[in-house]
Amino acid sequence: MKHRHPVIVFLLLTLSSVLASIGSYNTAATRVDRDLQQALGLTLQQQRSDVITPDTIRTFNSYLQQEALRGQAVLSLVCEERRNASKATIEAHCPSSVVLRMSDQRPALALMSMAFVWALGCGVRRRQGALPRPVSSAGRELGGLMLSERDDRFFTTAGTEVRFTPMQHRLMVMFFHADDHRLPKQDICETLWPKKGDANETLYTLVRRLKSVLETQTQLTIVCDRSRAYQLTLSELQ
């Protein structure tokens, strides 16, 4: 769920931008339509005919209250058939592009800009997270693997983090702090599974899986010392 949060924020900002844009457009469209209808009504009262002439257009534009509509609004003659008779009426309308220009799209643009800035920032953080992390100078090193005391994480000497499961991590910390990196089996079991009567099989499984991770990503391995202890040591293949 953690990785979905940036996407959710981006989608919310984008959706808010779209809704803000639509809301601003509808508000402007309502204002434009009101102005068109009042100008058309005054024009028809003065002209008292259903013929569109240059004078009709000039009169109509003079009654428009919004300067941006003058010369942009269109008058059209619409014929309606009613009971074998036709009736012509004049209608006024305005292109959608004009309404869009008259609407206040600044909130929508601000939200969209925030969405893109957010996406860019998330991309940069994700890219930085994929790069090798610097290893803390305060740490213990063995076989190309370092335990950063400050971060409580393991890194290769190249700075790449080596990820262990929580139980593998605890065992690795024990190995790094032990003398000669050697741990008796009994001490491991009592530390990791204090309430478990016989944890030898669980310990064997843990060591086997941890050994696979180490041999894949580091120069280390785990050997069994006389069946009584485990020791973290350099791999013989190195």
Side-chain angles (χ1 to χ4, degrees):
M1 184 66 181
K2 179 180 179 181
H3 298 291
R4 295 180 182 176
H5 288 168
V7 177
I8 292 175
V9 173
F10 175 77
L11 292 178
L12 287 176
L13 288 172
T14 303
L15 179 60
S16 298
S17 174
V18 172
L19 293 178
S21 178
I22 294 174
S24 297
Y25 180 89
N26 289 338
T27 299
T30 300
R31 188 171 63 252
V32 167
D33 185 66
R34 188 183 302 117
D35 195 2
L36 293 177
Q37 297 310 315
Q38 70 85 25
L40 179 60
L42 294 174
T43 300
L44 294 178
Q45 287 179 9
Q46 179 174 330
Q47 181 172 283
R48 298 183 181 276
S49 70
D50 56 3
V51 179
I52 300 177
T53 65
D55 288 338
T56 306
I57 297 175
R58 282 194 294 270
T59 301
F60 173 75
N61 281 297
S62 67
Y63 282 128
L64 288 171
Q65 296 179 356
Q66 300 176 77
E67 182 68 30
L69 288 177
R70 295 172 184 171
Q72 300 296 330
V74 179
L75 294 178
S76 59
L77 192 62
V78 179
C79 295
E80 298 181 1
E81 295 291 338
R82 294 183 180 179
R83 295 181 181 180
N84 300 325
S86 61
K87 180 180 179 181
T89 58
I90 299 177
E91 293 184 356
H93 57 88
C94 185
S96 299
S97 58
V98 176
V99 178
L100 182 62
R101 290 200 301 268
M102 296 179 63
S103 63
D104 185 6
Q105 295 295 322
R106 288 174 297 179
L109 291 175
L111 288 168
M112 185 57 69
S113 298
M114 291 172 60
F116 280 110
V117 170
W118 174 267
L120 180 61
C122 290
V124 171
R125 287 196 299 270
R126 185 174 181 180
R127 182 177 180 183
Q128 290 176 343
L131 296 175
R133 298 185 55 176
V135 180
S136 172
S137 58
R140 301 168 183 261
E141 191 270 336
L142 176 66
L145 184 67
M146 175 176 284
L147 169 60
S148 173
E149 303 284 4
R150 184 184 65 187
D151 301 328
D152 191 29
R153 295 182 181 181
F154 286 92
F155 298 90
T156 65
T157 52
T160 303
E161 182 178 359
V162 179
R163 299 183 181 275
F164 300 108
T165 66
M167 196 63 72
Q168 290 173 352
H169 180 86
R170 291 184 61 186
L171 181 55
M172 285 298 298
V173 172
M174 292 174 63
F175 274 128
F176 263 69
H177 286 88
D179 293 337
D180 296 327
H181 308 294
R182 182 179 182 277
L183 294 170
K185 290 184 178 180
Q186 184 177 354
D187 290 353
I188 299 175
C189 292
E190 290 178 353
T191 301
L192 299 183
W193 304 282
K195 298 181 179 181
K196 195 167 186 176
D198 184 4
N200 286 321
E201 188 64 28
T202 305
L203 174 59
Y204 172 78
T205 302
L206 175 63
V207 171
R208 177 170 55 84
R209 294 176 178 175
L210 175 58
K211 183 178 178 180
S212 176
V213 176
L214 290 172
E215 292 178 351
T216 301
Q217 303 187 52
T218 72
Q219 304 169 16
L220 299 173
T221 189
I222 300 175
V223 297
C224 185
D225 183 8
R226 299 177 183 177
S227 300
R228 299 187 332 189
Y230 283 112
Q231 185 173 15
L232 182 67
T233 183
L234 292 175
S235 174
E236 294 181 358
L237 298 178
Q238 302 299 323

